[in-house]
Structures are given as C-alpha cells and as structure tokens.
Amino acid sequence: MFQSFSESAHPEQGPPRLAALREVMADARLDGFIVPRADAYQGEYVAPCDERLAWLTGFTGSAGFCIALRDKAGVFVDGRYRTQVRSQVDLAHFTPVNWPETAPADWLAQELPEGGLVGYDPWLHTPREIETLTNGLRDSGVTLKATDNLVDRIWPDRPAPPMGPIRAYPAELAGLTHAQKRATLAAELSAGGHDAAVLTLPDSIAWLLNIRGSDIPRNPVPHAFAILHATAKVTLFVEAEKLDGTLRAHLGDDVIVRPPSAFGPALHSLTGPVRLDARSVPVWVMRELDQAGVPRVWGDDPCVLPKACKTDAEIAATREAHLRDGAALCEFLAWYDEQAPGSISEIDVVRRLEECRRATGALLDISFDTIAGSGPNGALAHYRVSTASNRILARGDLLVLDGGGQYLDGTTDITRTLPVGEAADIGADERAAFTRVLQGMIAMSRVRWPAGLAGRDLDVIARYPLWLADQDYAHGTGHGVGVNLCVHEGPQRLARISEVPLRAGMILSNEPGYYREVAFGIRIENLLVVQEAETLPGGDATGKLCFETLSFVPIDRRLIDASRLSDDERDWLDGYHALCRDLVGPRVAPAVRAWLDQATAPLGDAGK
C-alpha cells in the first residue's frame, strides 16, 4: 500500500529534544529559535529529512511553526489543527497558539518583554515572512538573526535527502512543450527588463520543464533549484543521479544541468536585475545576491499563474482522470454499503479504497494520505488514522472520507460523508448540519460571477447556510489543484484571505464542512474548473465566469433533510446524480451499476 498506519506523533520525545535545542540556543547566545514546517524549496510538502517541526514537537500537521524560547515553546497552528495539536504535543512543555489570530511578533514581544535575540534559518523562511516579523517587532527590543539550523545540530539520525528519479511528462497531456513555456515566460522577463528569475518551488520547476519527480511522497515533484534566463535558457541545479539519458534528451541543450553546490556561485555570476518572489524564494537567495552586488527586483514566480490556468489539453486529461477515479469510488461505496455496522474499521476503509483505485491500473500514488475519520475522529479536519487511533465504525457514526489519486492525466481529491447504518440511525443535528453543508456546496457549484472577483469574494457563498444556524468551519472553502502535480496548488483559493482573481482554467476544490469536537465531522467536496460562462437568455453580456464540476460520485441522500432544500437545490442534485449515472455508470461492473442507479435516484417530492 501507499499509505501506512504507523503512529507519526510521539509527544514523549518532545521534552528531551526541546531541552537539547535550548542547550544549543544558549551556546549560540540566542533567546529563541524559530522552527517552521518548511524546506529550502518553500513548497507546502516536505521530505522526511525536513520534518523538523514534527521531530521536535510531535505535531504532524501540514502547516504551523514553533518558536522555542528559554522558558516557553509556542506551537502556532491554524483552525484546522487546534484539536489535533493538543493530542500530539506534550502540553506541559509546548503551548498551542492560535495563528494567525495571534501574530508571532506580538507573541514574541509579550514573551520577551526585555527584548532578546531570536534565530532563524534563512533557507527556511521567505523574505516576506521575515519582513513581516521584523516590522511587527519594531520598538519591541526583540531582534532576529540568521543562523544555521539548530535543530539539525541535535538531530542525530536525520534522514538523508531524497534522491528520487525524474521523468519526462508528455507534452500531449501538458498542452505545451517546455520550449514553448520557456519562450513565453522569457519574453515576459524581457518585457519587464529582468535578466533572470530564480525558481525554487518544486511544482513550478516541474511544470515549466514538463518533468515529474519522486522526492516528496504523494506529490510527483523533484527537489531542484532553477534559474530562468531572459534568453529562454534554464539552468537546473539538481543531483545528477536523478537524471537518466532519456530525461537529459527531453531537457535538451537549452536546459543546462548543474549540481546543487553550483547554485550559490551561479547567483553571484548573474548580471541582473534578477526577479525574486518574496513569498516563495528563501531569504538565503536574497542574501547571496545582495552580498554579490547583483541587482534584484520583487515579482511573482513567473510559473505560478500560467501553471494555475490549465490548458485545454490539461482540462481534457483531468476530466478523464476524475471519471476513472469516480468509478473507483463507486466500486468502493457499493462495497461499503454491504458492510454491517461494527464489522469494519477506519483502516479497513482506507485499505479498500486504495485497492479500488489501484484496480484501475492507472494509479501512480495517492494524492495525500486518505482521511477516514469516524465519529469523533471525523471532527479532526485533517485526521490521519494510525493503528493507535483506529476506530471500529459503529452504528450511528458519520464517516468523513477524503482521498484522492495521482494519475498521469490528473490529480483527484474528493470527500464524501457517509452514514454508518441506516438513515434512522443518524441524529437530527447531524442531518441538519449535513444538509446545510450540502446547500453551501451546491451554491458554490452553481454560482456565476463577474470576471475579476477573487476567492475571498466567493467564499461566503458556501458558508451562508451554516451562518444562518450560527455554524461555520475553520478552513478555507477550496484550494487549487494541479494536474499530476500537487493536490494543493496556488495561487488560486476559495478563502477569506485569497486576493487572486479567478481565471478560466483554474481548478479548485469546493469543500464546505462542519465539525463538532469529540462528536462528529461533515465535509462534502468536489473539484471544479473555472470556465467562461455563456450569457443566459435575457441576461447582459458582461463576461461572467462559472464552474464546471469535475468530480462525479453520488452524494449520500440518506443524510439529507430534503425538506430544507429549495426546488433549485433539488434540481441541481438530481441533475448532478443523473450525470453520475450517465458518465460513471458505463465504467463500473453490473452489480455496482445497480448500486449506482439506486444511489442516484431522484429525490422526488420526499420531504416537501
């Protein structure tokens, strides 16, 4: 299997490791040290050798950081992880801090009232992060100092860096050759008067050069650095053993391969101006250019926006991937409905779902560790089942099942909330909350909006039905998704903090939810792609955008309080289920087709 169930959090190991860190902090004459969940490439996902935050604290979430002081250690987490962090760290030694509500600068100013010197690794922070922190500390007496990584000094068995092979990605699936991509972005650099751009984000480099890697589990990206020159040439800094002759031939003469040790000297040799993205390049790169006197300018990573706006070929490919994945999900759901309450566990669910995806013959990996949280575990938005946490699915539970696959032609991510037992076994509160979540998900699926609006402008649409009941969820409504790349992709998001205008071709998740701590969780998720909207009869031709749904798996009707749905909501759900039958039905076995027909039957007049 791709997924394992070993216990990844070890709270008991945190205190002695924190004590060791404080010893080296004292030797370095530092009053604090920042430990982020980040690596030198500044992607969201990190290799085992870069899991410093988890190694030190026990916290395994995908976002957060620790600030260790001489007498206190704050673990900063957002709303997705506030329940999880309390179970993964030793609360006698680590203090959870609600972030971003509490800014790290404010916390430091309060905890170091006499001032102090706080160290950070310049490889693991961006200029924007350090600038924000520095500005927040102004007049506090607290100062920052770049240093080597103190955690690495005390991590005796730190894993070696990954050396996964790199392969070419087919141009017919990408829609453009890497020569075409390089030429387009180089012209943009030249038009801006920029001599080069530094790239560190793994998915940017993978997208630009039409390559895929295997350095990060679940995410087919390589660890490498790159410099895109205004001549359309690229210097790629990567370990030679990751490349074979076929890959070198794919890259061609205009991609010069150098070892990672040559990255610093190459920065010094640039004439500039060099374009840097303050939100993704490490501080170390900025410092190297400044020390060499190379002019630099701030600007977006040139790959990020074109990568987000998928080509027609990528959209066609990912449609096929989602139909294949949808058929696998239906095979699983037909099996699930045959299991009696109390007869299977969360681990059984994860194993069976992966078996169904593997049976397609096209699965390269899962796109993230499958979330299968039943009962109170479902209230943990990013729950990962282990042998220690594994629960038997009991009658009356809700099961939050969130998973996806990495296929050559697409990356999938879908969530369904399922009852354990029959509809009568589920409580009224759960059914009411499920219906509100469904209403928000339908509203987002149907929305049409004027071009120029960002994710923050649409996020409220999915929350409105929950807000009417004084309910909400602590995560964004949706994240960007790549095509055989990262399941979390920027810059597009459906979230209160997203200011990036949505554009045609962007793929996003639509996943409102509701979580009641130690009781139950609910989430319903499809993937959507932004499309130009046709003008409706009687409407004004004002350039609207809309969403096309990519995911086709039935939504469990047993959890719906149909009396709460409007006629339009019923019509959308019945239409969606008809598409599930038409598009996925021909891809499944006859017995599963019979299940699918029953699971997608129209709501009719029930509950009116």
Side-chain angles (χ1 to χ4, degrees):
M1 289 192 68
F2 289 118
Q3 188 159 336
S4 70
F5 305 102
S6 58
E7 183 57 59
S8 56
H10 301 283
E12 75 282 357
Q13 296 178 353
R17 292 172 178 177
L18 180 60
L21 177 61
R22 284 171 171 156
E23 288 183 9
V24 295
M25 283 167 47
D27 291 342
R29 298 186 178 182
L30 293 172
D31 300 293
F33 187 72
I34 306 173
V35 183
R37 188 186 185 276
D39 61 17
Y41 309 95
Q42 293 301 319
E44 179 178 351
Y45 305 96
V46 300
C49 63
D50 295 310
E51 290 277 10
R52 297 176 180 89
L53 180 63
W55 181 85
L56 176 68
T57 67
F59 171 64
T60 62
S62 65
F65 55 95
C66 174
I67 303 180
L69 306 180
R70 293 185 178 184
D71 59 356
K72 193 170 188 177
V75 182
F76 292 69
V77 296
D78 63 33
R80 295 170 293 174
Y81 297 113
R82 287 171 190 167
T83 301
Q84 177 178 326
V85 70
R86 293 198 297 272
S87 67
Q88 289 191 320
V89 306
D90 185 323
L91 296 175
H93 294 80
F94 295 95
T95 302
V97 180
N98 290 349
W99 169 72
E101 294 89 339
T102 299
D106 294 339
W107 187 84
L108 280 169
Q110 178 178 334
E111 299 299 332
L112 292 174
E114 303 302 322
L117 186 61
V118 178
Y120 71 94
D121 182 345
W123 275 110
L124 305 186
H125 298 269
T126 67
R128 179 67 55 82
E129 290 172 345
I130 296 304
E131 178 187 32
T132 300
L133 186 53
T134 301
N135 289 341
L137 292 172
R138 189 171 290 124
D139 301 326
S140 71
V142 178
T143 55
L144 303 178
K145 179 183 179 180
T147 181
D148 66 304
N149 199 292
L150 302 190
V151 172
D152 293 353
R153 293 192 198 178
I154 62 170
W155 191 351
D157 55 350
R158 183 184 170 209
M163 289 292 171
I166 299 175
R167 56 182 170 83
Y169 190 70
E172 58 268 24
L173 294 180
L176 295 167
T177 67
H178 70 81
Q180 290 172 310
K181 293 178 180 180
R182 287 188 285 106
T184 299
L185 299 193
E188 178 192 336
L189 290 178
S190 294
H194 305 157
D195 180 63
V198 175
L199 307 177
T200 64
L201 288 174
D203 58 335
S204 287
I205 295 170
W207 173 87
L208 175 63
L209 298 179
N210 281 354
I211 59 177
R212 297 296 186 267
S214 50
D215 286 330
I216 301 291
R218 320 290 178 247
N219 297 274
V221 295
H223 274 173
F225 302 110
I227 299 174
L228 170 64
H229 303 274
T231 61
K233 292 181 181 291
V234 166
T235 307
L236 179 67
F237 303 90
V238 65
E239 298 290 354
E241 50 263 53
K242 295 183 181 183
L243 315 180
D244 61 14
T246 300
L247 195 281
R248 287 181 180 272
H250 163 79
L251 293 176
D253 294 337
D254 288 335
V255 179
I256 300 96
V257 178
R258 304 286 302 281
S261 60
F263 185 41
L267 293 174
H268 287 211
S269 70
L270 296 174
T271 57
V274 178
R275 180 166 160 179
L276 302 180
D277 191 329
R279 295 165 297 187
S280 64
V281 73
V283 168
W284 183 89
V285 172
M286 178 189 74
R287 287 162 55 92
E288 289 294 306
L289 292 173
D290 289 350
Q291 289 172 10
V294 178
R296 56 177 172 81
V297 294
W298 298 124
D300 293 341
D301 175 331
C303 301
V304 166
L305 190 56
K307 170 169 57 67
C309 298
K310 308 299 184 284
T311 64
D312 290 343
E314 287 176 311
I315 294 172
T318 204
R319 287 191 187 111
E320 174 62 23
H322 280 79
L323 291 176
R324 181 190 309 116
D325 196 68
L329 261 291
C330 288
E331 296 276 355
F332 165 82
L333 290 172
W335 169 86
Y336 174 85
D337 275 357
E338 294 176 348
Q339 311 309 307
S343 67
I344 59 173
S345 70
E346 293 168 341
I347 288 179
D348 294 328
V349 165
V350 173
R351 284 177 171 154
R352 180 66 179 187
L353 180 53
E354 185 171 318
E355 288 172 1
C356 292
R357 285 193 163 109
R358 282 182 176 274
T360 66
L363 185 69
L364 302 176
D365 197 348
I366 52 177
S367 56
F368 55 97
D369 281 352
T370 300
I371 298 167
S374 63
N377 289 342
L380 302 172
H382 281 207
Y383 171 70
R384 175 187 174 274
V385 60
S386 68
T387 52
S389 68
N390 189 33
R391 289 184 78 250
I392 298 295
L393 274 58
R395 186 180 299 277
D397 281 348
L398 293 183
L399 172 68
V400 178
L401 182 61
D402 185 354
Q406 288 285 7
Y407 304 95
L408 188 64
D409 48 4
T411 300
T412 68
D413 180 4
I414 185 168
T415 308
R416 290 295 182 262
T417 300
L418 309 172
V420 182
E422 300 303 319
D425 299 319
I426 306 302
D429 281 357
E430 287 92 325
R431 287 168 56 83
F434 181 91
T435 306
R436 294 183 191 109
V437 170
L438 174 62
Q439 289 174 308
M441 183 263 195
I442 291 174
M444 188 65 77
S445 303
R446 298 180 60 215
V447 68
R448 299 162 62 89
W449 69 94
L453 297 189
R456 68 177 182 185
D457 301 312
L458 302 187
D459 179 77
V460 64
I461 291 170
R463 298 179 190 272
Y464 179 66
L466 287 161
W467 283 359
L468 290 178
D470 281 345
Q471 296 175 342
D472 203 354
Y473 47 97
H475 55 75
T477 299
H479 55 82
V481 180
V483 174
N484 191 225
L485 279 173
C486 298
V487 74
H488 287 176
E489 177 184 88
Q492 71 275 26
R493 295 176 66 184
L494 293 172
R496 300 171 189 176
I497 62 174
S498 179
E499 299 179 351
V500 176
L502 299 179
R503 301 190 183 193
M506 289 180 167
I507 297 175
L508 300 107
S509 66
N510 171 18
E511 50 182 309
Y514 178 68
Y515 312 89
R516 184 168 293 175
E517 191 170 347
V518 306
F520 64 86
I522 297 165
R523 187 161 64 251
I524 309 172
E525 175 189 19
N526 282 343
L527 296 194
L528 314 169
V529 59
V530 180
Q531 299 279 19
E532 294 181 1
E534 296 182 1
T535 302
L536 297 175
D540 299 321
T542 54
K544 297 288 197 304
L545 296 173
C546 64
F547 287 124
E548 172 194 336
T549 297
L550 296 172
S551 311
F552 291 99
V553 174
I555 295 166
D556 204 299
R557 296 174 306 132
R558 292 169 293 186
L559 294 175
I560 300 172
D561 181 350
S563 67
R564 294 176 178 269
L565 298 183
S566 69
D567 289 344
D568 285 343
E569 290 165 342
R570 290 166 176 267
D571 289 345
W572 183 93
L573 186 64
D574 286 345
Y576 174 73
H577 279 158
L579 284 172
C580 291
R581 288 194 303 274
D582 294 344
L583 297 175
V584 179
R587 296 169 177 260
V588 299
V592 177
R593 177 59 194 254
W595 171 90
L596 179 61
D597 289 344
Q598 192 255 351
T600 58
L603 281 179
D605 294 330
K608 276 194 173 182

